[in-house]
Amino acid sequence: MSNQNGPSAARLGVTMPISEAFPTQEDQESTDRLIQTLRDQGLFESEEESRRREIVLGKLDKMVKEFVYVISLRRSHPESVAREAGGKIFTFGSYRLGVHGSGSDIDTLCVVPKHVQREDFFEEMHDMLRRRPEVTELTAVPDAFTPVIKMKFSDIPVRFTKPVVVATILSADKSHLTFPLFLQIDFTFARLGLSSIPDSLDLSDDNLLRNLDDRCIRSVNGSRVTDEILRLVPNIPTFRMALRCIKLWAHRRAIYSNMMGFLGGVAWAMLVARVCQLYPNACAATIISRFFSILHQWQWPQPVLLKPIEEGPLQVRVWNPKLYPADKAHKMPIITPAYPSMCSTHNVTDSTKAVMLAEFNDAAELVNRIMVERVPWSDLFVKDDFFTRYRHYLQVIASSDSEERHLRWSGFVESRIRHLVTKLERVENLVLAHPYIKGYSKVIQYNTAAEKDNAAHGIANPHPTEPADPAGDDAELKTMHISTYYIGLCIPPREAGSTGQRKMDLVRPKDEFIEMVRSWDKYDTESMAIVVKHIRSSALPSEVLEDVELKKTKRPRSAKAAASDTRATKKRRGSVGQNGALSDATSALPADHPSTDVLSSMIKNDVPVAAATAVPQS
């Protein structure tokens, strides 16, 4: 598939292009510098790694056919019919778009005939994967908005019980060693109304959606949307190069996560595709420049569309804010082009929207300097400053007693973090609640109840664990798996002339969140715990501080913003509030609002929240 540049190309999009100008020599030189920077960042996959990805996908496709065969026999189908029942995998997302890099995950869809149920996928297929020596970190999330099995799949059969280094000798002289390639795979499921699934199946036919439930439609549309995006861009190589850049920038700025309320891969792809439609003959550098200048001024909630929304022939829900109140509530609607059209950004909150708009604005200014002043493109990809941006954070700590159980428990807690964010947004005196896009996981050992409680509350044991008495009850060390997630708290400035203390009550949102996650039908009081607590920036653990870059490597900022940051480094003492509320002192204190000069006031009190299996709630 290769769409062509030029005025003769078909018009794409819902409006006329803004400009059909071709690149100048300066534009092309800027694009060449961009491509070299992306190569320096290691964004392009080697031919060897591409080949090994194909090996993994081939194994997975073979497993799907075997899975369908086993279920067909279980449903009393004749052996010959069971063999012909087929089954097929489809890739979508970055891999299908052709913008994956070294180490990128693969979004994969398992398509099966009508006699195979979703329960079969999450039971039989899950068990088949669990028995494979190539599969590690296997976890099923059947109750997700789009149900999924997550795993790491290696091209070399290997499963470790302890961290070891393994190499396979591939050449006769034993001089070439290849390590296992572990690919993160998100494996979704769709059951079509067909008696068999041939290898020649094409998902573009809308009639395949007949009689499918909403979850299957969402799964199938992952592949359909990817193919439609490629059909709707005027120049695929330019689109791919620009998208590689935007994806890297979004990752580095920590705003690439649909689960946490930011944008996922398909949303970023649609935004880039829309800008490509508006500048059909532009080169990648120009697309990126226009991308930021357009999006930081976009009049949300006006939707981003790649083509007019189609009603279609089926009785399925199509995104329509005039008809559905939930659709009208979307903050930054980016609408998928494949029928039935859906909003890919329904998780965006007021806080995550504000963070992204600030990043768009900063990037627009920086890219303008890159294009005009030849500032290095690498400046665009400076890592986020999340752990130095705010003075106060919430920690959400999920813990459990086994690896398999923890993968399910921590995954569920992570998927609900955005609900805590929306609850915090309703708290008085809080500007925004900024979730970080990834959690920090570790495994600790303990032999006393106090050590367990401390670990569950994010408190490191200050002293080495004393050797246990072999004859005592605590002779065997126990293991705890812990994942910690962070939310930055942004406090508004104190109004001029105001006195006394302001309180920010976080008790209600944290209690509601804890009740929500504990209501999970797989929650086990004896083996799982959840803690939400306030932590000052000065008390952040070393595991997150290792991610913080030195100040001299940060993105250049305006003098005014830099002065605000300098003021923010001054430490101040505060008093403890009452009844679990956070209160601030009367003095003016530094700002922590992203990309603004707003001054904030200091939060003064920790808010510990005990877990049912840890210590009694305070």
Side-chain angles (χ1 to χ4, degrees), residues 244-303:
R244 284 184 182 275
C245 173
I246 296 301
K247 282 167 62 73
L248 177 61
W249 167 81
H251 275 293
R252 293 287 172 84
R253 302 308 299 165
I255 55 174
Y256 191 111
S257 173
N258 177 62
M259 183 182 294
M260 286 296 185
F262 296 101
L263 306 189
V266 67
W268 290 115
M270 288 188 289
L271 289 180
V272 174
R274 182 66 185 117
V275 177
C276 287
Q277 291 177 340
L278 295 173
Y279 299 89
N281 300 320
C283 59
T286 302
I287 294 297
I288 293 161
S289 174
R290 300 299 184 267
F291 177 92
F292 292 118
S293 63
I294 287 173
L295 287 176
H296 96 270
Q297 302 176 74
W298 191 267
Q299 298 301 305
W300 305 104
Q302 179 177 325

Side-chain angles (χ1 to χ4, degrees), residues 352-412:
T352 54
K353 174 186 173 183
V355 171
M356 287 187 284
L357 293 182
E359 290 289 351
F360 290 153
N361 183 66
D362 287 353
E365 295 177 0
L366 179 55
V367 173
N368 183 61
R369 294 179 56 211
I370 291 173
M371 299 289 285
V372 175
E373 304 173 18
R374 296 181 65 87
V375 170
W377 277 102
S378 57
D379 283 3
L380 184 64
F381 308 123
V382 171
K383 192 181 181 301
D384 69 273
D385 58 351
F386 178 82
F387 290 108
T388 59
R389 182 179 301 189
Y390 304 102
R391 296 185 64 85
H392 300 271
Y393 299 82
L394 284 187
Q395 283 182 316
V396 180
I397 307 172
S399 57
S400 50
D401 62 359
S402 74
E403 180 179 8
E404 183 175 354
R405 187 177 288 112
H406 188 66
L407 284 171
R408 297 196 303 270
W409 172 232
S410 62
F412 177 76

Side-chain angles (χ1 to χ4, degrees), residues 485-555:
Y485 307 94
Y486 291 86
I487 300 175
L489 303 177
C490 179
I491 317 303
R494 177 178 298 284
E495 295 181 3
S498 63
T499 60
Q501 290 189 337
R502 293 178 302 170
K503 292 185 178 180
M504 190 169 65
D505 189 354
L506 303 183
V507 174
R508 181 172 181 177
K510 62 88 176 173
D511 283 348
E512 290 177 349
F513 174 74
I514 289 175
E515 182 180 358
M516 174 196 298
V517 295
R518 285 179 178 168
S519 66
W520 186 41
D521 59 358
K522 297 180 179 62
Y523 177 72
D524 177 29
T525 304
E526 298 300 321
S527 60
M528 302 174 181
I530 179 72
V531 168
V532 180
K533 58 179 290 189
H534 164 253
I535 184 173
R536 291 181 172 86
S537 59
S538 59
L540 286 170
S542 58
E543 63 191 12
V544 304
L545 296 179
E546 291 173 358
D547 273 355
V548 178
E549 296 184 345
L550 294 177
K551 188 174 182 179
K552 66 180 181 180
T553 68
K554 291 183 179 178
R555 178 198 309 232

